[in-house]
Amino acid sequence: VQLVESGGGLVQPGGSVRLSCAASGFTFNIYTMIWVRQAPGKGLEWLSYISSSGSTIYYADSVKGRFTISRDNAKNSLYLQMDSLKDEDTALYYCARRLRALVSSQYFYKMDVWGQGTTVTVSS
Amino acid sequence: AIQMTQSPSSLSASVGDRVTITCRASQGIRNDLGWYQQKPGKAPKLLIYAASSLQSGVPSRFSGSGSGTDFTLTISSLQPEDFATYYCLQDHDYPNTFGQGTKLEIK
């Protein structure tokens, strides 16, 4: 079971980049997925969620309208299209799997598998 | 958005100590809370889900409690490998939100 992010790099302010997250070792198309980032020396920030089919999507206010999450279940891949990038988007970006768990007859979710992250640096 | 207030932001403790980290939600979140451990240069690792359920493979010295707005992560007897940063994450409503983190350091 593995998630591997790629696509990070140096981008100019106002520019765009597309991150990918390749899944392996599990049935990707039944899992919901998320993106999380961590700015240098800072805490974790939840960014976005996508349902297993891709039909339901949520974003953090900080990236809404600029970032687009998507997935290709045929390719076992998750994506994050990042547009209109700002200096404050500089961070390590993680994808994570959301696993449903049954606890005391109720369903809960846990982020049980994480990638190693890919770094995006926004700078001129 | 639901705000998660985590405390303390940092904590110094010794091997063998019992430590407690708390998270408070700005509104009720049922038991939709997880605790994650992060070591420098590594991805977060799930410790606790559904507020009090121990993730498979995580040592039993870790435990979680709470419901509604107040939650606690307890490490019963600190081990050298436990010195790390800990985060809570609410998964009750979107956008999900993390606490600010608690850096646990060796005294």
Side-chain angles (χ1 to χ4, degrees), chain A:
Chain A
V1 176
Q2 193 174 14
L3 296 170
V4 178
E5 301 94 336
S6 61
L10 177 63
V11 188
Q12 290 191 335
S16 299
V17 68
R18 187 197 199 201
L19 306 184
S20 299
C21 170
S24 60
F26 64 97
T27 306
F28 178 71
N29 63 14
I30 67 172
Y31 288 92
T32 58
M33 300 291 294
I34 66 167
W35 285 99
V36 169
R37 72 182 177 185
Q38 186 168 38
K42 302 297 184 181
L44 300 171
E45 180 184 12
W46 183 94
L47 294 181
S48 186
Y49 157 98
I50 188 167
S51 62
S52 56
S53 67
S55 61
T56 301
I57 286 172
Y58 299 103
Y59 297 101
D61 288 345
S62 59
V63 304
K64 194 178 298 182
R66 300 189 301 121
F67 290 11
T68 303
I69 191 171
S70 63
R71 64 191 296 160
D72 185 337
N73 286 339
K75 294 183 177 180
N76 292 334
S77 292
L78 174 73
Y79 305 102
L80 188 67
Q81 177 67 39
M82 304 166 59
D83 299 320
S84 303
L85 284 163
K86 307 175 182 179
D87 291 351
E88 53 264 39
D89 295 318
T90 294
L92 180 61
Y93 286 76
Y94 295 102
C95 60
R97 182 180 83 168
R98 250 174 122 252
L99 175 66
R100 190 172 73 169
L102 184 62
V103 178
S104 301
S105 303
Q106 292 182 312
Y107 283 111
F108 294 87
Y109 289 89
K110 54 182 179 176
M111 273 52 76
D112 69 327
V113 178
W114 295 68
Q116 84 291 347
T118 186
T119 298
V120 174
T121 302
V122 183
S123 175
S124 54

Side-chain angles (χ1 to χ4, degrees), chain B:
Chain B
I2 297 173
Q3 295 184 12
M4 302 302 297
T5 303
Q6 189 173 335
S7 61
S9 56
S10 64
L11 177 58
S12 293
S14 302
V15 172
D17 283 355
R18 178 184 180 93
V19 299
T20 299
I21 298 168
T22 64
C23 256
R24 174 166 289 177
S26 60
Q27 64 188 72
I29 60 169
R30 201 179 62 155
N31 288 352
D32 297 318
L33 185 112
W35 290 97
Y36 295 81
Q37 176 194 67
Q38 188 181 34
K39 295 182 178 180
K42 299 293 187 181
K45 174 187 174 183
L46 174 66
L47 300 175
I48 301 286
Y49 63 98
S52 60
S53 295
L54 189 67
Q55 171 68 359
S56 176
V58 174
S60 59
R61 62 181 180 272
F62 291 92
S63 64
S65 65
S67 181
T69 60
D70 294 306
F71 301 87
T72 298
L73 173 70
T74 298
I75 310 172
S76 60
S77 179
L78 274 173
Q79 298 302 300
E81 61 268 29
D82 299 337
F83 292 94
T85 301
Y86 294 84
Y87 296 91
C88 61
L89 170 66
Q90 70 82 14
D91 191 37
H92 180 73
D93 195 11
Y94 292 101
N96 291 173
T97 41
F98 284 96
Q100 304 94 317
T102 296
K103 186 173 184 179
L104 181 51
E105 299 175 307
I106 301 173
K107 184 183 286 184

